[in-house]
Amino acid sequence: MTFKMIHENYNVFDLKRSMAFYEEALGLTERHRIEPADGSYLIVYIGNDESDFELELTWLRDRKEPYNLGDNEFHLAFRPDDFDAAHEKHQAMGCICFENPAMGIYFIEDPDGYWLEIVPNK
């Protein structure tokens, strides 16, 4: 038996802001969405042509404050085709939150505080 990873969910406070961040920082765009008739939530799946894995962004209408991510000891990782150009772009965006030169990686932070690891090609 095998299992294929299909998506990861992040709850977001401001869906438009989050979608704009993920498109600018990582080139992820909307693939499809779920919108209930009562408008109580929106689920937007974003991704790119490099993989069929999707990031699910969930917005809840009645949420009044940003999410508390605790120690934020989780993350998704991305491998750009041009690590140096990605680093330069993220530096210009001001979203790099941690760098580990010894490991050759860095992290960017989305508008809700989720960390995303950027790793070089091996």
Side-chain angles (χ1 to χ4, degrees):
M1 178 181 332
T2 63
F3 294 88
K4 179 180 180 180
M5 292 179 58
I6 57 170
H7 74 259
E8 165 95 7
N9 174 75
Y10 284 176
N11 281 19
V12 299
F13 189 63
D14 182 333
L15 182 61
K16 287 181 184 178
R17 182 177 175 206
S18 293
M19 289 177 66
F21 171 83
Y22 281 100
E23 183 167 2
E24 181 180 356
L26 299 168
L28 303 180
T29 58
E30 182 173 340
R31 289 185 165 173
H32 54 98
R33 67 173 52 205
I34 298 171
E35 294 184 68
D38 68 0
S40 61
Y41 66 90
L42 287 172
I43 298 174
V44 177
Y45 295 89
I46 60 176
N48 63 29
D49 292 337
E50 297 301 311
S51 167
D52 57 359
F53 183 84
E54 297 175 320
L55 180 56
E56 172 187 327
L57 302 178
T58 300
W59 171 83
L60 303 174
R61 178 188 62 205
D62 296 332
R63 183 74 184 188
K64 302 299 181 215
E65 67 280 333
Y67 289 91
N68 178 344
L69 302 181
D71 291 334
N72 201 7
E73 290 292 330
F74 53 90
H75 63 270
L76 288 177
F78 294 83
R79 180 177 291 122
D81 59 354
D82 186 334
F83 184 84
D84 293 333
H87 187 273
E88 185 175 313
K89 175 186 191 80
H90 295 145
Q91 197 164 40
M93 289 176 65
C95 62
I96 295 176
C97 58
F98 180 77
E99 293 190 65
N100 186 329
M103 292 181 70
I105 63 170
Y106 68 93
F107 290 81
I108 60 175
E109 185 174 7
D110 88 349
D112 289 280
Y114 294 103
W115 283 28
L116 306 148
E117 182 179 6
I118 310 299
V119 299
N121 284 322
K122 296 181 178 181

